[in-house]
Every structure is written in C-alpha cells, then in structure tokens.
Amino acid sequence: MSDSPLRERLMALRDQLHHHSYQYYVLDAPLIPDAEYDRLFNELLAIETTHPDWLAPDSPSQRVGAAPLPSFSQVRHETPMLSLDNVFSEQELLDFDRRVKSRLDDGFTLNYACEPKLDGIAVSLLYVDGVLVRGATRGDGQIGEDITQNVKTISSIPLRLRGSDWPDDLEVRGEIYMPRAGFERINAVARESDAKVFVNPRNAAAGSLRQLDSRITAKRPLEMSCYGIAQQDGDALFTSHSEGLQRLREWGFLVSPELQVVDSIEGCVSYYHALLQRRDSLAYDIDGIVFKVDSLALQAQLGFVSRAPRWAIAHKFPAQEEITVLRDVEFQVGRTGAVTPVAKLEPVFVGGVTVSNASLHNFDEIERLGVMIGDAVVVRRAGDVIPKVVQVVLERRPDTASAIIAPKYCPVCDSPLERAPGEAVLRCSGGLVCGAQRKEAIKHFASRKAMDIDGLGDKLVEQFVDAGLIETVADLYLLTVEKIANLERMGQKSADNLIAALEKSRATTLQRFLYSLGIREVGEATALNLARHFGGLPELMAAPEEQLIEVEDVGPIVASHIHAFFASEFNRVVVRQLSERGVHWPSAQKLDGEQPLAGQTWVLTGNLETMTRSDAKEKLQALGAKVASSVSAKTDCVAAGTSAGSKLAKAEALGVKVIDEQGLLAVFASTGSSI
C-alpha cells in the first residue's frame, strides 16, 4: 500500500473511531462490538507507529496518554470561571426567584433550565477550528492548570467536534467526574495491592486529573458532562442555555440526560424533590441542582455580581459527608458469626439524618484507615446505605487517642473468635449456641427478599428468641395466636396478622427458600442459579462440590460453603422440619434447555399494580432474562408501569421496545416459569 492510500486509510480509521466513540460514550448506543473497535484502534496505532510524522493532536490514539510532564503550566481563563451562589432551603430558592424577577424589565417570559450538580471537578475545554487544543482546571477562577494531556484520555470528551456549524473558537465548560461503579472498581484494585484508597468519587476524579503522567489518567474511569459555553462567539447560534446544550450534544459532547426546562420556580422545586428521591439510584454522585435562567438575553440583562452570575443558583442537597468524633467501638455479631466493629460517634447530621453509629467493616479496614478512639473522622452516608467511616482527620488527633483492640471472645456468647486464613473477618465459633447468630439468621429468613414474613420485624424476632419461643427458623411455624398475643408490642390483631403472614409465607419458591437459609455467599442471584441448575432441593442437598462448581457463578469457595451447610446434620433437620411444617414451592424442572427470555436484557420502571417490582424481577430472571437497572441501546425490552420517568423517556429516545403492565402479564402467561 502506497503512502497516499495508506494516509487515506488512516483518516478513515480516525473518522470511524471518533464516530464509534460518540455512539458508545455519548449516546450509549454502540454500533459495533468492543472487539471490532479494538481491531480498528490497533490498525490505527500500527499506521501511526510506522509514520510518526502523521500523528495529529485529534487522533483517537491520543487517549492512551503521553510521557509524564515535569509540572503543570498555568492558564489564564479569557472568561473567568465563576462559582455559583448556594441555597439550602425552599424559601431561599423562592427568594432567588423574587430577586431575578425584580431585576428584569416588564414583559419577560421566564423559564429555568434545571440540571443535576455533579460532584466533580470543573474544567474548561478550548477548541480551535473544531479541534481540542487545551484543557484547564478552574483553579481560582482566573488562573487554572493546563491538563490538556489528561483530558484527552477521557472518552466522553471529543478530540474533534462533530458537524460543521461550530464557531472557529469555542470554549466549553463542564464537570469531570467518576461514576460510582468505576470508583468502586479502582478502590478494589487499590485494596488488593495495598495502594491508596480514595475517600469518594470526587476525590478520585481530582487525583486522576492531577496526574503528571497522563497514562495513569487514561486508566481511570472518568467522564465529562457539559454545562455551558464560555466563548461568546457561539451565542449567535442559539438564544437559550438549553438550546446551547443541545447543540453541544450534536457537536459530540455528553450532556446530562436529566436536563429539563420548567416555566416557574414551582417547577424548580418539583424538579429538586424528584431528583433528590432518585439521587441514590443515579450512576454518579450529585450534591444538588443548578437552576439557570434559560434565556441568554435575560442572562445578559441580569449580569453578574463580583464572583457569581445573578441568573443561576445551586440548591444543595443535604451533605453526604461530615466530620465528627469517634467516641468508642462496639462489636456486633451477624448471622454467619462475623464480628463487625461499629463506631460509636458524636451524633452528626449527614445525608439527611442524625448519625451516631457507623460501620468500620473489619480490622483490616481499621488498620488501613489508621483510626483510633478519640479521632476526628469523616463519615459518609448515601441514601439508605449504612453510614461508614471513610477517613481520619489526623491533624485533629488528640493526645488521648487510644488504639482499637480486637476482642478474643464473642461479646454475646463468650465463645472464642476465629479468623480463617486469607479472611479479614473475625467469626464467633459458637454457631447457633450464640444467641446473636440465631436472631440474625431468623431476621434474614423473614426478610422481604427471603420468605417475606410481613410484620415479623427485628424487635419481635429478638423478643421471641429471648422468651424461648423459637430457636430455629422452623420454630416460627409452631407459633400460634395464643402463644404470642400477650407478649409486649403484640395484641390480638397484631398476633392474628402475624400468624396469617406466616401461613402465607409457607408457599414460596425454591429460589427464595435457598436464599432464606442464609448459606454463606449465597445471595439472590446464586440462589436462582442453584434452583435453575438442580431443579429440586433433594438434588442440590446431595450434590458433591465438583457438581456444585458446575453452577453458573459458583466457585470453589461458594461450593464449599453450600456443601458444608447441607452436610451439617443440624441444618438438614431444620430443612426437614420446615418441609414437615408446610413450607413448599411449585415442582421445578431442571432447566437444561433454552429459556424463553435467555440472553435478553429487561428493565423495570414505574409502579406495578398486580405485583411488586421485586416479584416481576424474579419472574423475568426465572425465564432467563437479565434484569438491569438502567436503559441502554442493548436493552431488549422495558416494562413500564404507572409514573414511569426518565427510564421510559430514554427507552423511547433509543427506540427500545416498551410494554405496559398488561403486556408484561401476557409475557408471563405465555412463557410462565415453574421456578
């Protein structure tokens, strides 16, 4: 191949790779498999390696990173990167709206653009003739650091703009962040190699962007979402902020799919509460909502104060991290005997609630954190997640701080504690002799995703065990109204309801039953795979470890836990008693053949009237479907109940098949599962 055709092939490869990156990272609608993308990318690298003089700054190969810099150079922002004023209450937001209206001339139409406030790092990207030439941090708003090599490694940042109607000089502003899944992944790798663990996704994103070696940044799962344009050259192309963001999307940028325009401050309030409810289901951290006057003409009329625009405000969510003092450490025993250290804290308001306890996980984590009793610590709480200590504020450590000593004996039954080789967890050796393990095992058995015994809460379980009414889960089915009606927190009606719930729970599924037994490492998915593979409980109980390993997602460790559980005579007696006391499920057939929905990905959204989402998920999984939490171009079908929101909108935008609840019931009727 001569130079001219080879160069043409090089240009074609660059165009193809830019297009496929846009489809994958911005639209979430890949057109080719990853393997095909890798083949094209490797072909590009081969040509550029043999012809280094053909290398261009906008080549997709620039995403792999370059040689380390000695230091970052400084960049002066032509348009200052101002910060936003914050409000923390609905009344303050209403006051903002009143101020905006008081400064505008008569006859205006006021709309607000609403966007999630991503918890990341603000950056500026400069494009000249459609090619990325500079990336910079916000810095102090006037002067930032040149991080061009690092931003080039981020796949959601276009190296070359799409289309042809962009201005010659374009400065784009956005937020670089790390999605939660990527954050957990890099921290897991760091723990395995005893490297530094990041405190939160924002901390991880900041550390990744400030790498002098951009090859390290290239390995970090960073994304960027645009929130505006700084250069005035582009303003003539559109009249509103939302229109500008739509144009940025067309030019190849990732823009928040949560962007919404409302026509009143009441619409802003509704948007705030709706996204606050969904905050913990998002794939990334947000710490509030940004509201902006949508009209660019009205923005110009409102102008700026010294450090912030008058036409925008950030309504902050309750903080998810706060500093408090660790006063003491207690040790709790779980259903598998695991002893968990729990931090007793000076009460602190975080994540919308007052927190006085937080998890320390295990003694490896205590050692990694270097935490001591008396330390000032950073506590993180996100949604319903158990609060945890994530960092020690060493500069505040008092002279009286004392080490956390691991106990040698169970704090409940005084049995010796054991630590298996390779494990970080201490375990009580007492088994069901230990009252704590009995109680936790029964609580798990009764939980919603297990036997779903409505009304049997933690306090009642503890009361029944302490009163000697139950010792094992099988004893639950010997309870009567007469035995429990006179207990504290009970009465005739409560007793009747609980006995009715126990009666209802006797009819279950093999999958739920296996999960309810509390076998170590057997969660919902593994329980489903075991039920599918063996079809019946006797076959599973008799299976040797070699056969258990054949089950999907079951490795040697999980297989040994399952085999050991059913090898225990005590456990076999409890299982037999449960059967004798009426716990049953439909006959299951071993699933050797193709399942009706095998290989398909489904998403459930909205409210279902005839069943819970959990029940619908279980039925779909029994038919072989994978049930995902988010919609993408790879989704086969979305089942949408009432009040479906952004997932439904995204499915419609991507052309994904959507069915309502009646359609879902029809699927179950025509392809019913016996699991």
Side-chain angles (χ1 to χ4, degrees):
M1 187 180 284
S2 65
D3 277 1
S4 180
L6 187 63
R7 190 153 197 161
E8 288 178 4
R9 176 58 180 165
L10 175 69
M11 301 304 291
L13 284 168
R14 287 175 180 167
D15 288 341
Q16 288 181 65
L17 290 166
H18 282 310
H19 177 65
H20 289 303
S21 288
Y22 175 73
Q23 290 289 139
Y24 187 94
Y25 293 103
V26 177
L27 300 185
D28 193 19
L31 299 177
I32 60 174
D34 291 349
E36 175 64 10
Y37 183 94
D38 292 341
R39 187 188 67 76
L40 296 173
F41 189 80
N42 289 333
E43 184 182 353
L44 173 76
L45 287 180
I47 296 175
E48 290 183 344
T49 300
T50 55
H51 294 272
D53 53 317
W54 290 354
L55 190 63
D58 62 338
S59 171
S61 64
Q62 297 305 289
R63 296 204 187 279
V64 301
L69 297 169
S71 63
F72 291 117
S73 58
Q74 291 190 332
V75 170
R76 177 171 289 278
H77 301 297
E78 294 182 33
T79 303
M81 292 188 72
L82 302 178
S83 55
L84 295 177
D85 285 334
N86 297 321
V87 296
F88 297 90
S89 69
E90 188 172 317
Q91 184 56 54
E92 289 178 305
L93 184 61
L94 297 176
D95 290 342
F96 162 75
D97 178 64
R98 178 182 48 76
R99 291 194 302 272
V100 166
K101 290 175 178 175
S102 70
R103 291 188 173 99
L104 294 176
D105 297 333
D106 294 338
F108 60 84
T109 299
L110 184 59
N111 293 327
Y112 286 108
C114 315
E115 305 164 62
K117 186 177 183 298
L118 292 162
D119 196 10
I121 309 301
V123 294
S124 162
L125 305 175
L126 181 61
Y127 289 80
V128 176
D129 295 329
V131 175
L132 176 64
V133 297
R134 192 189 71 201
T137 62
R138 179 182 178 277
D140 63 4
Q142 301 287 338
I143 297 175
E145 291 181 320
D146 188 330
I147 54 169
T148 306
Q149 289 190 8
N150 289 346
V151 298
K152 281 186 174 183
T153 69
I154 300 172
S155 297
S156 52
I157 294 178
L159 301 176
R160 181 204 309 160
L161 300 181
R162 296 171 58 84
S164 58
D165 59 344
W166 22 262
D168 294 340
D169 296 306
L170 176 70
E171 186 179 350
V172 178
R173 301 277 169 84
E175 197 89 358
I176 290 179
Y177 61 97
M178 185 174 291
R180 292 172 184 159
F183 169 72
E184 296 297 340
R185 190 165 62 248
I186 66 168
N187 265 357
V189 172
R191 289 189 188 98
E192 288 176 5
S193 57
D194 290 327
K196 176 187 175 183
V197 175
F198 290 105
V199 175
N200 53 47
R202 186 185 189 282
N203 175 256
S208 300
L209 278 183
R210 297 208 77 258
Q211 295 289 332
L212 292 171
D213 187 345
S214 59
R215 291 169 298 188
I216 297 175
T217 310
K219 297 176 182 177
R220 302 283 172 80
L222 298 172
E223 292 186 6
M224 191 197 84
S225 181
C226 295
Y227 58 67
I229 295 173
Q231 296 289 84
Q232 296 304 303
D233 297 14
D235 286 0
L237 296 174
F238 36 82
T239 60
S240 69
H241 171 71
S242 57
E243 187 185 347
L245 290 182
Q246 178 56 39
R247 194 64 61 86
L248 284 174
R249 183 182 280 120
E250 294 167 3
W251 291 338
F253 293 95
L254 180 64
V255 174
S256 174
E258 306 294 340
L259 172 68
Q260 208 173 99
V261 178
V262 299
D263 60 6
S264 67
I265 197 65
E266 289 75 22
C268 293
V269 171
S270 297
Y271 181 95
Y272 173 89
H273 289 294
L275 210 57
L276 177 59
Q277 271 195 318
R278 294 175 44 227
R279 177 186 193 180
D280 300 307
S281 65
L282 299 176
Y284 43 81
D285 281 356
I286 62 174
D287 58 2
I289 306 296
V290 175
F291 300 113
K292 298 175 183 174
V293 171
D294 195 37
S295 165
L296 297 183
L298 294 183
Q299 285 187 11
Q301 189 176 330
L302 289 162
F304 300 80
V305 291
S306 59
R307 55 176 292 278
R310 289 195 178 99
W311 41 264
I313 202 77
H315 191 177
K316 300 295 286 291
F317 288 153
Q320 291 186 300
E321 288 185 352
E322 286 291 354
I323 295 178
T324 188
V325 176
L326 191 155
R327 295 298 186 195
D328 199 0
V329 174
E330 292 183 356
F331 301 95
Q332 295 181 351
V333 183
R335 63 181 173 83
T336 64
V339 177
T340 303
V342 176
K344 311 300 288 185
L345 306 168
E346 188 73 29
V348 61
F349 191 77
V350 57
V353 300
T354 299
V355 169
S356 55
N357 298 325
S359 174
L360 286 167
H361 299 292
N362 53 53
F363 278 89
D364 281 2
E365 181 71 358
I366 289 173
E367 184 177 344
R368 185 191 68 77
L369 288 168
V371 64
M372 301 176 72
I373 294 172
D375 272 340
V377 294
V378 176
V379 178
R380 180 174 176 82
R381 180 186 183 272
D384 295 328
V385 176
I386 297 171
K388 58 182 179 180
V389 175
V390 296
Q391 186 180 7
V392 177
V393 186
L394 288 174
E395 57 266 30
R396 296 195 191 180
R397 172 168 286 171
D399 295 336
T400 55
S402 59
I404 300 169
I405 307 298
K408 294 182 179 180
Y409 299 96
C410 175
V412 175
C413 69
D414 212 32
S415 298
L417 297 183
E418 300 172 342
R419 184 168 177 171
E423 284 195 3
V425 178
L426 284 170
R427 293 186 189 276
C428 169
S429 62
L432 291 181
V433 170
C434 179
Q437 291 185 61
R438 285 205 308 275
K439 290 175 182 177
E440 294 304 319
I442 296 168
K443 291 174 187 176
H444 174 77
F445 182 86
S447 63
R448 183 175 60 84
K449 294 181 179 180
M451 299 298 283
D452 193 18
I453 304 174
D454 189 33
L456 185 56
D458 292 356
K459 296 294 185 184
L460 274 181
V461 169
E462 292 173 7
Q463 189 176 3
F464 290 165
V465 173
D466 292 342
L469 291 175
I470 54 176
E471 288 191 2
T472 72
V473 294
D475 294 337
L476 288 169
Y477 296 98
L478 296 178
L479 294 175
T480 63
V481 171
E482 293 73 24
K483 287 182 179 179
I484 65 176
N486 294 323
L487 293 175
E488 187 182 350
R489 287 189 289 270
M490 294 297 290
Q492 186 67 36
K493 185 176 180 180
S494 296
D496 287 339
N497 290 341
L498 179 56
I499 296 303
L502 281 163
E503 183 62 32
K504 180 182 177 182
S505 74
R506 294 180 202 266
T508 185
T509 65
L510 179 55
Q511 170 196 348
R512 279 180 174 265
F513 181 76
L514 293 176
Y515 175 67
S516 74
L517 293 176
I519 305 168
R520 279 183 65 189
E521 308 291 344
V522 176
E524 293 175 86
T526 304
L528 175 61
N529 290 336
L530 289 168
R532 286 176 173 175
H533 186 90
F534 290 101
L537 185 59
E539 294 84 354
L540 171 59
M541 292 178 68
E545 289 186 46
E546 311 85 73
Q547 194 175 348
L548 290 167
I549 293 174
E550 296 173 4
V551 179
E552 183 182 355
D553 293 333
V554 173
I557 294 176
V558 178
S560 69
H561 291 325
I562 298 169
H563 186 266
F565 182 90
F566 288 117
S568 162
E569 182 59 27
F570 178 89
N571 292 335
R572 296 177 75 90
V573 167
V574 171
V575 169
R576 184 174 68 249
Q577 289 174 339
L578 285 167
S579 176
E580 292 170 349
R581 293 167 191 176
V583 176
H584 64 282
W585 47 87
S587 298
Q589 294 181 347
K590 188 175 179 180
L591 302 176
D592 291 323
E594 187 74 13
Q595 293 173 274
L597 303 183
Q600 295 186 23
T601 299
W602 284 58
V603 172
L604 294 164
T605 185
N607 301 317
L608 301 178
E609 296 178 0
T610 59
M611 70 190 82
T612 65
R613 291 247 294 264
S614 179
D615 289 338
K617 176 181 178 181
E618 189 174 308
K619 289 176 181 290
L620 287 169
Q621 288 175 327
L623 294 171
K626 174 186 175 184
V627 181
S629 59
S630 60
V631 178
S632 75
K634 296 180 180 179
T635 303
D636 293 285
C637 187
V638 171
T642 58
S643 303
S646 60
K647 292 180 184 177
L648 175 59
K650 187 170 183 181
E652 291 171 341
L654 293 174
V656 172
K657 178 182 177 182
V658 176
I659 61 175
D660 60 12
E661 186 169 355
Q662 291 304 312
L664 181 63
L665 292 174
V667 171
F668 292 151
S670 62
T671 58
S673 171
S674 59
I675 296 295

